Amino acid sequence: MKRIGLSVAGGVVGILFFLPLLWVVTNSLRPGSETFANLDPLSWQTFFELRPTLVNYSALVSSEIGRATINSILVSAATVVIGLAVCATAAFGLAAFEFRGRGLVFGVVVLSFLVPFDAIAIPLSTMFRDWHLTNTFTGLVLPGIGNGMAIFLLRQFFLGIPAELVEAGRLDGLGWFGVFRWIYLPLSKPALIGAGLMLFLFQWQAYVWPLLIGTDAQHILGPVALSNLQGQNFTDYGLVFAGAVVLTVIPLVVIAGFQRYFVQSVSSTGLK
Amino acid sequence: MRQRQGLIALAFLAPALVCLAVLRIVPAISAVVESFYSESLLRGGRVFAGLGNYTDLLSSKDFRQSVGVTLLFTVLVNPIQVAVSFLLAVLFTQRAAGARLWRTLVILPIATPPAVSAVIWSVIYRPDGLANGVLERLGLPAQPFLTSPGQVLGSLIVLLSWIGVGYWMLFLIAGIQEIPAEVREAALLDGAGPWRRMVSVVLPLVRRPLAFVLVADTVSNLLVFAPVQILTKGGPNGNSNLLMYDVYNRAYAIGDIHVAQAEVVILVALTLAIVAGQFRLLRGDQ
């Protein structure tokens, strides 16, 4: 009896959270002119479409949002690749060596992720303007690559790699970069994936920064393009919803593919 | 030897340190420095203004309203989100049919970028949108949501909770699952009811994740921007003019970059003060 009650409560909550997304998906499969047709009164057709059409999705391909989505993919991919290289080498520097000032450097890393990025986005954008980095991919990618949290996460993992392995590698004639490349990296796949996910989501979800720094047609990112469309007098909601679905499904697929590591990276931000 | 190690370590650290310094620490310092200057029309350059920008801000009625709205919003949104996340975490860690599926549905909105969620909800909140469709079905009158001074903050809180609750719930579920089974069984044997078990057993044992969620949630809610910029532009009558949006508006619509930097400093100081207060409170009753 109690279990049935709990199942029903869970089901109601789950469906309530899901309804907005279901409505978005349904309307992305309908011509934009019919978005508001099934709301008065509400019926099952509000949330289901028996004759789905892909017109919105084919319109998306040639629209600004299509282009912006490709930009988002490029910017996020570049951030993950460059960011992982920068963060993993830094984490190696902090984990594998004993040197004076290590505590200080580590302090700077922690301090850097305690300053919320969005709060400093506006002062930083004035600096980027002076450096002529507005409306460049460099300007969009740069803030994502130095991620203190990713360095922290990787360092924790690197600290667990036994010193004997490193010594053995050194005796076999590996240089320090060789130790990093052939011992640390292969042993750290889970941590690298977790950190990579963190870098990816930071860029994919960013809004303040791309709004400040990338607004021309060549450099606009997905969320900014979508919100631009929303503000116009005549809005094709079919297109808006198709764009929203694409911008949600891409990270969803990435998260689902690396689910195990996602939960790890989330729980390690809890600083246990 | 140690010195040599230091040099090699530095070589590995250099790219990241340059990034962190230039992209995080320098702009933070520059905001503080620039907040003490202002643009001089007469001399065509910047001049030292001391606390001028700060006194300008404090004497502005719009700014004071923005601070008030932000504090009201903070006091409302954080307890609501933490309480809902905790209740859902408790609900979804019970053994019940479909719990995994229902939990996934609550977590799903995490994948939607916040700005995209804001766009989706701007359509839901339209006068002829989904929200009023649901109300009508329930036999309730249509509501103005975003255009009503009394409802706009509440509407933003609902949207932000849809985005955020699943994320915070993940931390609390992890915390609850770490409670040793023996502790639960002991409480059951002692005849503690469900409510008693939650308050006296679960709640104290998830203090750490709970404290983390409260602090992180507060910080993220103090920086809320996309929903305000996309849905309300701070209106109606400044009733949703949260500080982060006010900073942006001042810097780019009004073009007063130095005063905007002063406002950034105030926003960060406010954030630190609230977070420090929470830490003290949480430690106080230990």
Side-chain angles (χ1 to χ4, degrees), chain B residues 70-85 157 168 213-222 274 278:
Chain B
T70 306
L71 289 178
L72 175 65
F73 171 74
T74 301
V75 169
L76 291 174
V77 73
N78 297 304
I80 292 175
Q81 289 189 346
V82 174
V84 172
S85 311
I157 289 172
W168 305 121
V213 164
L214 178 63
V215 170
D217 190 27
T218 303
V219 171
S220 84
N221 280 321
L222 278 164
I274 293 177
Q278 285 176 340

Side-chain angles (χ1 to χ4, degrees), chain A residues 3-46:
Chain A
R3 274 204 193 175
I4 298 176
L6 288 169
S7 311
V8 171
V12 169
V13 172
I15 289 169
L16 274 179
F17 269 84
F18 186 55
L19 275 187
L21 283 180
L22 180 62
W23 189 60
V24 169
V25 173
T26 305
N27 280 304
S28 75
L29 300 170
R30 254 178 210 157
S33 54
E34 289 173 26
T35 301
F36 300 100
N38 293 299
L39 286 170
D40 188 18
L42 222 56
S43 66
W44 63 270
Q45 277 133 323
T46 316

Side-chain angles (χ1 to χ4, degrees), chain B residues 86 90 172 175-176 178-180 183 187 194-211 282 285-286:
Chain B
F86 177 70
V90 171
L172 299 177
I176 291 175
E178 270 179 21
I179 298 176
V183 177
W195 177 253
R196 181 81 211 190
R197 285 204 303 274
M198 190 161 104
V199 175
S200 313
V201 181
V202 178
L203 207 52
L205 287 174
V206 292
R207 277 183 67 97
R208 278 184 64 124
L210 211 53
L282 289 165
D285 57 53
Q286 204 163 37

Side-chain angles (χ1 to χ4, degrees), chain B residues 253-274:
Chain B
I254 305 174
D256 204 339
I257 197 75
H258 293 281
V259 180
Q261 313 262 37
E263 200 171 353
V264 168
V265 174
I266 293 177
L267 175 61
V268 172
L270 188 68
T271 310
L272 290 177
I274 293 177

Side-chain angles (χ1 to χ4, degrees), chain A residues 231-256:
Chain A
Q232 289 159 9
N233 284 333
F234 175 78
T235 306
D236 180 352
Y237 285 105
L239 196 62
V240 170
F241 284 154
V245 169
V246 170
L247 289 173
T248 304
V249 163
I250 292 173
L252 201 60
V253 168
V254 175
I255 294 174

Side-chain angles (χ1 to χ4, degrees), chain A residues 2-3 6-7 9-11 13-21 23-24 35-36 39-43 46-47 86-87 89-94 96-100 105 108-109 111-112 115-120 122-129 131 142-148 151 170 176-177 180 202 204-205 207-208 211-212 223 226-227 230 237 240-241 244 247-248 251-252 255 262 266-267 269-272, chain B residues 1-2 4-10 12-13 15-17 19-28 30-31 84 88 91-92 94-98 102-116 119-124 126 128-130 132-134 136-137 161-163 165-167 170-171 174 178 194 197 208 212 219 223 225-226 229-230 244 247-249 251-252 257 260-261 264 267-268 271-272:
Chain A
K2 187 186 149 219
R3 274 204 193 175
L6 288 169
S7 311
V13 172
I15 289 169
L16 274 179
F17 269 84
F18 186 55
L19 275 187
L21 283 180
W23 189 60
V24 169
T35 301
F36 300 100
L39 286 170
D40 188 18
L42 222 56
S43 66
T46 316
F47 299 104
V86 168
C87 294
T89 45
F92 178 70
L94 276 172
F97 300 94
E98 297 245 355
F99 58 95
R100 222 158 15 127
V105 173
V108 170
V109 170
L111 186 73
S112 75
V115 178
F117 178 72
D118 282 355
I120 57 159
I122 285 167
L124 185 62
S125 73
T126 2
M127 290 165 55
F128 270 48
R129 220 152 277 196
W131 299 338
L142 263 183
I145 64 175
N147 188 318
I151 299 175
R170 294 287 287 165
W176 280 112
F177 189 79
F180 170 66
F202 175 89
W204 191 267
Q205 306 209 321
Y207 180 70
V208 177
L211 184 70
L212 296 174
L226 197 70
S227 69
Q230 204 280 329
Y237 285 105
V240 170
F241 284 154
L247 289 173
T248 304
L252 201 60
I255 294 174
F262 175 69
V266 163
S267 58
T269 45
L271 303 178
K272 280 199 269 192
Chain B
M1 184 62 200
R2 264 182 83 152
R4 225 180 85 80
Q5 287 230 333
L7 282 177
I8 302 169
L10 195 64
F12 278 100
L13 279 158
L17 286 182
C19 285
L20 293 181
V22 174
L23 301 166
R24 298 290 193 282
I25 293 166
V26 170
S30 124
V84 172
L88 293 186
L91 175 64
F92 289 127
Q94 312 284 325
R95 251 177 266 159
W102 307 134
R103 189 206 289 187
T104 308
L105 292 185
V106 174
I107 299 169
L108 219 49
I110 298 183
T112 314
V116 175
V119 170
I120 293 172
W121 281 78
S122 74
V123 192
I124 292 178
R126 274 171 52 121
D128 54 352
L130 179 63
N132 274 328
V134 171
E136 195 186 18
R137 191 81 226 200
S161 303
W162 183 74
I163 299 175
V165 159
Y167 184 67
L170 280 181
F171 295 97
E178 270 179 21
R197 285 204 303 274
R208 278 184 64 124
F212 168 76
V219 171
L223 298 171
F225 174 76
Q229 196 253 352
I230 292 169
M244 187 65 207
V247 170
Y248 168 84
N249 198 36
Y252 292 103
I257 197 75
Q261 313 262 37
V264 168
L267 175 61
V268 172
T271 310
L272 290 177

